[in-house]
Amino acid sequence: MTLHEQVTDILASAVEAQECAGISVLVRRCGEEMLYTQAGMSDIASGRLIHRDSIFRLYSQSKPITAAAVMLLAERGQYAAKVFDEATQEILAGGGVPTVEFCNRLGQQPLSFQPGTHWRYSTCADILGAVVEVVSGMRFGEFLRKEFFEPLDMVDTGFYVPESKRNRLVTAYKRTENGLVPWTSTHLAVGVYDREPAFESGGAGLVSTLEDYSHFADMLLAGGTYEGRRILSPATVACMTQPQLKDAVRRDMWDSLDGYSYGHLMRICAEPGRIAGLACAGEYGWDGWLGTYFANFPG
């Protein structure tokens, strides 16, 4: 039995056990495709199969892209200094710098602890999306499109799904005693994709395809380049993919992340011997609430 057949059987077994309605896997090595396979449905009621161009809700797998956007601004010397300078100028002029109302509300809440002393999965990626808007002078989604999605050929990635592509949006399901049933609610103020949202969530808002996201992952593995185009500097990618947490702070991470540290909105493998799944020192990536997952193995 070939590797392709083995992986396909595993995916088919997961679908048969109703662990999911449909699933697809893409493996690339040194810029070349090693394996692609799929099983199951993108929509059970219509009998629509999962395909390579099926559009998935990324949820938290949006975070690494947000991290890259912030690092690009920092790389250009536009990050916090520019925000503070503009705020100072506005204050001296008798006004102030407006920010996203969502982030204003978050900012009214007290911090759970002094920064750097503990780790907690938070709304920081949404705050960073607002910072990108203020610094760049454009909507977060427009900045991502201009700086990442277009140069990376990520043609199906964004904060909503145009009508012409809506038949490719995978239906989300939840498991019940009566089997899989469609999930049509929202989570983290995200879940309506038929129009451009007012709140473009840096932590959970993007949709994408397996193919599109592989371009972003390839760019990171290549030290910031894609198809000869420079997206990020090698130093920026190295910074993004280095573990950042002290050992004492790592204890706050979930049990499922034992053996990992955390970098710029991504897990970073620090102790592969403590990880039950596939891992090596320096492996990094993240996943999404509805089941999306990516991992890069440098070296």
Side-chain angles (χ1 to χ4, degrees), residues 166-194:
R166 215 158 291 157
N167 66 326
R168 292 197 278 128
L169 179 63
V170 171
T171 301
Y173 291 90
K174 62 180 178 180
R175 283 184 287 179
T176 71
E177 294 180 354
N178 299 317
L180 297 175
V181 299
W183 179 82
T184 57
S185 186
T186 60
H187 180 56
L188 300 174
V190 170
V192 177
Y193 301 102
D194 61 358

Side-chain angles (χ1 to χ4, degrees), residues 60-71 119-129 140 202-203 213 216 239-242 244 261-268 284-287 294:
S60 287
Q61 205 173 308
S62 305
K63 289 180 170 68
I65 295 176
T66 297
V70 174
M71 293 302 293
W119 181 88
R120 176 172 292 180
Y121 202 50
S122 70
T123 56
C124 65
D126 295 317
I127 300 296
L128 291 174
F140 185 40
Y213 209 93
F216 176 74
C239 179
M240 287 179 65
T241 57
Q242 289 298 310
Q244 303 288 332
S261 183
Y262 199 69
H264 291 69
L265 303 182
M266 292 188 287
R267 67 179 185 277
I268 316 288
Y284 61 88
W286 202 238
D287 56 277
F294 99 97

Side-chain angles (χ1 to χ4, degrees), residues 64-79 148 216 219-225 230-244 263-266 268 284:
I65 295 176
T66 297
V70 174
M71 293 302 293
L72 179 61
L73 291 175
E75 183 179 298
R76 294 174 175 173
Q78 298 174 295
Y79 190 26
F148 292 93
F216 176 74
M219 179 272 293
L220 294 179
L221 270 180
T225 62
R230 171 63 62 187
I231 310 298
L232 296 170
S233 74
T236 295
V237 175
C239 179
M240 287 179 65
T241 57
Q242 289 298 310
Q244 303 288 332
H264 291 69
L265 303 182
M266 292 188 287
I268 316 288
Y284 61 88

Side-chain angles (χ1 to χ4, degrees), residues 54-295:
S54 293
I55 298 173
F56 294 87
R57 300 155 177 82
L58 290 182
Y59 272 93
S60 287
Q61 205 173 308
S62 305
K63 289 180 170 68
I65 295 176
T66 297
V70 174
M71 293 302 293
L72 179 61
L73 291 175
E75 183 179 298
R76 294 174 175 173
Q78 298 174 295
Y79 190 26
K82 185 173 187 291
V83 176
F84 281 111
D85 288 343
E86 290 181 350
T88 299
Q89 292 171 12
E90 290 289 335
I91 291 170
L92 292 176
V97 177
T99 60
V100 179
E101 177 61 26
F102 181 85
C103 294
N104 275 336
R105 295 179 183 180
L106 290 178
Q108 294 170 4
Q109 308 306 313
L111 292 176
S112 299
F113 46 79
Q114 189 70 14
T117 60
H118 291 280
W119 181 88
R120 176 172 292 180
Y121 202 50
S122 70
T123 56
C124 65
D126 295 317
I127 300 296
L128 291 174
V131 171
V132 170
E133 287 199 357
V134 174
V135 175
S136 68
M138 62 182 76
R139 291 203 70 193
F140 185 40
E142 177 64 13
F143 181 85
L144 293 182
R145 182 191 63 77
K146 177 177 179 289
E147 301 290 351
F148 292 93
F149 302 156
E150 287 187 350
L152 288 173
D153 299 325
M154 297 174 70
V155 296
D156 292 319
T157 303
F159 287 106
Y160 75 106
V161 183
E163 186 175 358
S164 60
K165 300 181 180 182
R166 215 158 291 157
N167 66 326
R168 292 197 278 128
L169 179 63
V170 171
T171 301
Y173 291 90
K174 62 180 178 180
R175 283 184 287 179
T176 71
E177 294 180 354
N178 299 317
L180 297 175
V181 299
W183 179 82
T184 57
S185 186
T186 60
H187 180 56
L188 300 174
V190 170
V192 177
Y193 301 102
D194 61 358
R195 56 188 178 275
E196 191 171 356
F199 170 43
E200 295 180 325
S201 169
L206 290 173
V207 298
S208 189
T209 64
L210 198 62
E211 182 69 30
D212 274 15
Y213 209 93
S214 75
H215 299 177
F216 176 74
D218 275 356
M219 179 272 293
L220 294 179
L221 270 180
T225 62
Y226 171 78
E227 298 290 332
R229 306 163 199 161
R230 171 63 62 187
I231 310 298
L232 296 170
S233 74
T236 295
V237 175
C239 179
M240 287 179 65
T241 57
Q242 289 298 310
Q244 303 288 332
L245 302 184
K246 301 175 183 177
D247 287 344
V249 177
R250 280 177 54 196
R251 299 191 189 103
D252 294 333
M253 298 179 74
W254 308 312
D255 291 343
S256 61
L257 290 176
D258 187 30
Y260 284 100
S261 183
Y262 199 69
H264 291 69
L265 303 182
M266 292 188 287
R267 67 179 185 277
I268 316 288
C269 178
E271 298 179 77
R274 298 177 61 178
I275 297 170
L278 291 174
C280 68
E283 174 261 316
Y284 61 88
W286 202 238
D287 56 277
W289 180 60
L290 291 179
T292 59
Y293 184 94
F294 99 97

